[in-house]
Amino acid sequence: MTSEIISSKELSKADPVFGQNSFDDHEQIVFCNDKDTGLKAIIGIHNTVLGPALGGTRMWNYENEWAALNDVLRLSRGMTYKSAITGLNLGGGKAVIIGDAKTQKTPELMRRFGEFVHSLSGRYITAEDVGMATADMDTVREVTPYVTGISQNKGGAGNPSPITAYGVFMGMKAAAKFKFGSDVLEDKKVFVQGIGNVGEALVEHLSNEGAKVTIADISQERLEEVSSKYGVNIYNGSDIYSEAMDIYAPCALGATINDETIHKLQAKIIAGAANNQLAEENKHGRLLQERGIVYAPDFLINAGGIINVYAELENYDRQEIMRKTENIYNTTLEILENAQANAITTHEAAFSIARDRIDTRKRENSK
Ligand code: NAD
């Protein structure tokens, strides 16, 4: 018989899910496994007060299961607040598939994943995220209606990334207006880190406006492709955070603003597409505020993609999608002004508005 006295260290191991730092009262966490296809996935449903939990599926070669669980907990929570602040009637959810999207993603695996999504009866609706393409969502659609981001010829709104990039561009312009007094980005030195689906579309907007764009990516092939297409500079240094720049646009993965990078940052504005840019929202949000670096909250300015997929559920037309995405400019400006007026971080300002909307709906629902 094992000892009944468990040390606190062992106890924390004994609480691998609800005891995680990233756990934030998530409603449901579903672990999915299929031996035949090799599928190992986790679906996180953070909150469904405002509506079904909608959020993309990320396929990534995680270092271990802890990293995957941590990611799905953080990402699904972020979706709750993203939809809430954007005024959408959606809850927050996200899924991660553990594996290499380039070598391990098969139609069979995607269909099996779709069946797991279907088993949740609409509490979770999926879409694409890193490692996923519109074609993968079309495959998922073969087995469940609870999927968005499918091809236009199949009745969907298509790839959300250009809309996400447009929203980020709007948020960046609002941050420029706030910081520099003008939203014109011509001649502003902008570093775009990650030139995938969203990053490239952002580079296009920035180039059209005459910004001085530098791009960074782990893929040399992408760097050369995007650089020759838009005539932008490739970053060849080893520490992007220490570079002098006006705007840093994180468009790869999250948590790039952390204990190691925050003191080096030379940017005057941070505005990008990546989810969960602040490793620790309160701590790093405050440090940015102290340093006078304007942070346009990620979950606010990268909401174009969710607006686009929400349109599939609500039958919005293109004009309505663009109008809602363009409005990210006004919301961002309001939040930055509100944060300044109340001496709180921009993250806190955005978060409290989102939280209020959820709490109000919760009270209404329970009447
Ligand atoms: P993507 O997979 O198309 O692109 C990611 C790019 O980042 C790739 O080119 C990859 O090589 C690069 N990258 C990875 N690690 C890097 C590193 N350490 N340094 C530099 N580059 C690196 O993904 P995407 O759809 O463009 O999304 C980018 C980010 O925006 C993700 O964090 C995603 O969650 C977020 N986001 C995307 C959408 C959307 O509509 N696609 C919506 C909201 C948020």
Side-chain angles (χ1 to χ4, degrees):
M1 210 177 110
T2 53
S3 162
E4 288 183 4
I5 302 167
I6 305 173
S7 76
S8 58
K9 206 168 166 204
E10 282 168 328
L11 262 180
S12 69
K13 274 195 204 157
D15 296 328
V17 178
F18 302 133
Q20 284 270 311
N21 275 345
S22 310
F23 181 76
D24 177 50
D25 280 325
H26 289 67
E27 289 177 13
Q28 194 174 7
I29 300 154
V30 184
F31 292 82
C32 317
N33 175 60
D34 182 62
K35 190 164 174 259
D36 292 344
T37 58
L39 174 75
K40 285 214 165 8
I42 313 174
I43 299 172
I45 297 179
H46 176 250
N47 190 291
T48 56
V49 170
L50 294 176
L54 196 152
T57 297
R58 173 173 294 188
M59 187 160 185
W60 192 254
N61 219 351
Y62 290 100
E63 212 169 293
N64 51 46
E65 288 173 23
W66 292 109
L69 176 62
N70 189 53
D71 211 24
V72 80
L73 290 174
R74 280 169 63 90
L75 290 165
S76 55
R77 172 180 182 270
M79 292 309 295
T80 296
Y81 298 110
K82 186 187 303 201
S83 285
I85 194 137
T86 311
L88 309 180
N89 288 321
L90 290 173
K94 203 94 180 180
V96 295
I97 298 178
I98 302 171
D100 186 337
K102 286 205 175 83
T103 57
Q104 289 171 272
K105 190 171 62 179
T106 60
E108 294 73 32
L109 180 136
M110 290 312 301
R111 266 193 290 274
R112 193 69 191 97
F113 172 70
E115 284 165 5
F116 279 108
V117 171
H118 193 70
S119 74
L120 294 168
S121 310
R123 270 176 66 72
Y124 170 66
I125 302 173
T126 198
E128 53 270 86
D129 191 62
V130 177
M132 289 290 144
T134 308
D136 298 313
M137 295 306 113
D138 291 346
T139 306
V140 170
R141 182 67 184 84
E142 290 170 19
V143 295
T144 181
Y146 305 123
V147 53
T148 53
I150 55 176
S151 304
Q152 274 166 317
N153 63 12
K154 290 195 161 61
N159 177 10
S161 304
I163 312 289
T164 301
Y166 185 57
V168 170
F169 183 58
M170 287 295 113
M172 191 184 279
K173 279 172 100 41
K177 173 88 182 154
F178 179 80
K179 180 77 181 174
F180 306 128
S182 161
D183 61 20
V184 178
L185 298 177
E186 191 180 1
D187 289 333
K188 290 284 180 262
K189 210 170 168 192
V190 186
F191 273 60
V192 181
Q193 181 187 40
I195 37 153
N197 292 316
V198 181
E200 179 182 344
L202 179 63
V203 167
E204 185 175 2
H205 287 298
L206 290 166
S207 305
N208 289 343
E209 184 140 331
K212 290 183 182 150
V213 181
T214 302
I215 53 175
D217 202 290
I218 48 173
S219 160
Q220 192 60 31
E221 200 185 321
R222 283 293 293 158
L223 284 170
E224 281 160 21
E225 194 184 324
V226 174
S227 166
S228 65
K229 206 160 155 188
Y230 304 98
V232 294
N233 304 317
I234 294 177
Y235 181 59
N236 289 315
S238 57
D239 189 9
I240 191 172
Y241 307 101
S242 304
E243 295 294 328
M245 66 182 87
D246 293 305
I247 302 171
Y248 164 49
C251 296
L253 298 180
T256 56
I257 297 145
N258 53 46
D259 285 346
E260 220 173 279
T261 60
I262 199 156
H263 298 287
K264 298 194 270 186
L265 278 175
Q266 300 297 312
K268 299 176 184 81
I269 289 172
I270 300 171
N275 285 308
N276 301 325
Q277 292 165 23
L278 307 179
E280 290 175 59
E281 291 160 358
N282 293 334
K283 175 182 173 185
H284 297 125
R286 248 190 322 275
L287 284 169
L288 290 176
Q289 183 190 18
E290 280 166 23
R291 295 202 48 208
I293 300 172
V294 173
Y295 168 63
D298 49 13
F299 66 95
L300 166 64
I301 72 167
N302 72 11
I306 191 98
I307 293 170
N308 192 58
V309 294
Y310 187 63
E312 282 180 33
L313 305 174
E314 298 288 317
N315 290 321
Y316 288 164
D317 59 14
R318 196 77 184 162
Q319 238 180 343
E320 181 65 6
I321 295 172
M322 295 316 280
R323 195 193 59 74
K324 278 196 156 33
T325 307
E326 212 157 278
N327 198 40
I328 288 176
Y329 180 102
N330 295 326
T331 318
T332 306
L333 202 51
E334 273 167 36
I335 298 264
L336 299 181
E337 283 164 356
N338 170 313
Q340 189 177 48
N342 294 297
I344 54 176
T345 70
T346 56
H347 175 83
E348 283 168 324
F351 187 82
S352 72
I353 292 173
R355 191 70 251 175
D356 281 353
R357 187 165 170 247
I358 296 166
D359 291 345
T360 306
R361 180 72 63 84
K362 198 170 175 182
R363 279 195 299 276
E364 285 166 5
N365 288 351
S366 63
K367 270 182 202 161

mmCIF file of all heavy atoms in Angstrom, residues 63 197 244 280 328 353:
data_model
loop_
_atom_site.group_PDB
_atom_site.id
_atom_site.type_symbol
_atom_site.label_atom_id
_atom_site.label_comp_id
_atom_site.label_asym_id
_atom_site.label_seq_id
_atom_site.Cartn_x
_atom_site.Cartn_y
_atom_site.Cartn_z
ATOM 1 N N GLU A 63 6.805 19.641 -27.603
ATOM 2 C CA GLU A 63 7.919 18.973 -26.930
ATOM 3 C C GLU A 63 7.413 17.799 -26.078
ATOM 4 O O GLU A 63 8.012 16.752 -26.019
ATOM 5 C CB GLU A 63 8.592 20.001 -26.022
ATOM 6 C CG GLU A 63 10.068 19.818 -25.860
ATOM 7 C CD GLU A 63 10.642 21.035 -25.168
ATOM 8 O OE1 GLU A 63 10.633 22.133 -25.772
ATOM 9 O OE2 GLU A 63 11.063 20.878 -24.026
ATOM 10 N N ASN A 197 0.585 32.705 -43.073
ATOM 11 C CA ASN A 197 -0.644 33.181 -43.725
ATOM 12 C C ASN A 197 -0.990 34.618 -43.330
ATOM 13 O O ASN A 197 -1.292 35.444 -44.179
ATOM 14 C CB ASN A 197 -1.809 32.267 -43.343
ATOM 15 C CG ASN A 197 -1.654 30.890 -43.942
ATOM 16 O OD1 ASN A 197 -1.304 30.742 -45.108
ATOM 17 N ND2 ASN A 197 -1.883 29.867 -43.144
ATOM 18 N N ALA A 244 16.431 48.347 -33.036
ATOM 19 C CA ALA A 244 15.685 49.610 -32.993
ATOM 20 C C ALA A 244 14.546 49.526 -34.013
ATOM 21 O O ALA A 244 14.786 49.173 -35.168
ATOM 22 C CB ALA A 244 16.615 50.759 -33.340
ATOM 23 N N GLU A 280 3.244 36.294 -19.320
ATOM 24 C CA GLU A 280 2.414 36.472 -18.119
ATOM 25 C C GLU A 280 1.706 37.819 -18.270
ATOM 26 O O GLU A 280 2.354 38.866 -18.210
ATOM 27 C CB GLU A 280 3.277 36.469 -16.859
ATOM 28 C CG GLU A 280 3.855 35.106 -16.535
ATOM 29 C CD GLU A 280 4.803 35.171 -15.341
ATOM 30 O OE1 GLU A 280 4.365 35.591 -14.250
ATOM 31 O OE2 GLU A 280 5.972 34.835 -15.526
ATOM 32 N N ILE A 328 -12.146 47.346 -35.492
ATOM 33 C CA ILE A 328 -11.059 47.043 -34.537
ATOM 34 C C ILE A 328 -10.244 48.320 -34.288
ATOM 35 O O ILE A 328 -9.733 48.538 -33.194
ATOM 36 C CB ILE A 328 -10.185 45.866 -35.075
ATOM 37 C CG1 ILE A 328 -10.983 44.560 -34.981
ATOM 38 C CG2 ILE A 328 -8.855 45.759 -34.332
ATOM 39 C CD1 ILE A 328 -10.296 43.336 -35.564
ATOM 40 N N ILE A 353 -13.424 44.721 -20.026
ATOM 41 C CA ILE A 353 -14.626 44.934 -20.850
ATOM 42 C C ILE A 353 -15.191 43.571 -21.287
ATOM 43 O O ILE A 353 -16.399 43.326 -21.226
ATOM 44 C CB ILE A 353 -14.303 45.819 -22.076
ATOM 45 C CG1 ILE A 353 -13.986 47.239 -21.593
ATOM 46 C CG2 ILE A 353 -15.451 45.832 -23.088
ATOM 47 C CD1 ILE A 353 -13.493 48.177 -22.669
#
